[in-house]
Amino acid sequence: EDQVTQSPEALRLQEGESSSLNCSYTVSGLRGLFWYRQDPGKGPEFLFTLYSAGEEKEKERLKATLTKKESFLHITAPKPEDSATYLCAVQGKTSYDKVIFGPGTSLSVIP
Amino acid sequence: AAGVIQSPRHLIKEKRETATLKCYPIPRHDTVYWYQQGPGQDPQFLISFYEKMQSDKGSIPDRFSAQQFSDYHSELNMSSLELGDSALYFCASSPPWTSRNSGANVLTFGAGSRLTVL
């Protein structure tokens, strides 16, 4: 069965203090690994899709990387507006449409 | 740009009552998903529909049912409501297979429907 775990559960950073979030996954053939951002009480917002090991994607202060077992979301010089829960999700090749989410990392960036 | 529309945004029901949530996907998106998110929890996959047929099923209780209609909107019907059903229910949609990279589904989520069962 496809599984996703994320660490840390919560992360508190000073503004400008770079760090990384981890996503570990188990899937029977990876169709795609996704990163989403979720603000309290709102729906998840798509950030990146990664398809194969070695792939990297960047967007502003965020950079996502992928290995065969893990993905990292690197946050460079974060700002308070980056505070949110970051969700990792996977879609395996054994299911048609199912996308499984991890528990998320709650990020707080302190001014 | 048009987004995923969910209604109602808030719903309060008593135990054992029935509730119906509606979802209108982004135009030309043919796949609809339902997720349940309890307080402090990750979104749990309930069910998905592609071209009006159920495509995948997750941890959806037998008391719940869903369908997708000819205009691609979807409804989630929940009966015999329990206190534990109180949660945010998200609908998401994704574009047709022909426009997906490697078949990976990029989901666009709606704002959610908050169900409170008293």
Side-chain angles (χ1 to χ4, degrees):
Chain A
E1 186 175 322
D2 301 344
Q3 283 191 321
V4 181
T5 59
Q6 292 186 245
S7 62
E9 185 176 321
L11 182 62
R12 190 180 171 96
L13 299 174
Q14 289 293 130
E15 185 172 359
E17 180 186 2
S18 301
S19 188
S20 295
L21 312 182
N22 174 266
C23 168
S24 296
Y25 66 92
T26 303
V27 67
S28 300
L30 181 67
R31 200 184 291 279
L33 182 140
F34 312 90
W35 282 98
Y36 286 82
R37 168 193 169 126
Q38 186 174 27
D39 292 300
K42 296 189 176 181
E45 178 186 344
F46 171 75
L47 294 172
F48 303 107
T49 308
L50 300 167
Y51 300 98
S52 58
E55 189 174 1
E56 297 182 353
K57 292 227 175 130
E58 285 189 70
K59 179 180 180 180
E60 296 181 355
R61 296 176 292 282
L62 301 177
K63 178 180 176 181
T65 61
L66 181 65
T67 72
K68 287 188 177 180
K69 294 183 179 180
E70 294 177 305
S71 178
F72 293 92
L73 185 65
H74 307 277
I75 303 176
T76 302
K79 298 182 177 181
E81 53 262 41
D82 294 322
S83 297
T85 294
Y86 290 85
L87 297 164
C88 175
V90 296
Q91 183 182 2
K93 291 184 177 179
T94 57
S95 64
Y96 193 67
D97 286 316
K98 187 187 296 186
V99 177
I100 302 300
F101 282 81
T105 293
S106 176
L107 174 66
S108 298
V109 182
I110 313 303
Chain B
V4 177
I5 307 298
Q6 291 188 245
S7 67
R9 292 295 314 280
H10 301 273
L11 192 59
I12 299 175
K13 291 286 185 178
E14 299 279 339
K15 281 196 311 184
R16 292 180 289 277
E17 285 192 320
T18 297
T20 297
L21 307 181
K22 295 186 178 182
C23 169
Y24 296 85
I26 290 173
R28 291 180 294 283
H29 280 196
D30 58 6
T31 307
V32 170
Y33 313 75
W34 286 98
Y35 285 83
Q36 177 192 58
Q37 188 172 32
Q41 312 249 320
D42 53 294
Q44 292 292 313
F45 174 78
L46 294 178
I47 198 166
S48 61
F49 290 88
Y50 166 69
E51 285 290 343
K52 302 176 284 295
M53 299 289 289
Q54 179 184 304
S55 56
D56 264 311
K57 191 172 181 179
S59 51
I60 184 169
D62 292 340
R63 299 177 289 107
F64 292 10
S65 65
Q67 58 181 324
Q68 185 180 31
F69 296 87
S70 56
D71 63 351
Y72 295 101
H73 95 272
S74 178
E75 294 184 5
L76 178 66
N77 298 293
M78 301 175 284
S79 62
S80 302
L81 287 170
E82 302 174 355
L83 296 178
D85 296 328
S86 295
L88 262 173
Y89 289 82
F90 289 106
C91 173
S93 69
S94 65
W97 267 85
T98 52
S99 62
R100 299 178 193 173
N101 188 338
S102 302
N105 303 9
V106 175
L107 275 57
T108 301
F109 283 81
S113 293
R114 183 175 296 280
L115 171 67
T116 302
V117 181
L118 302 175

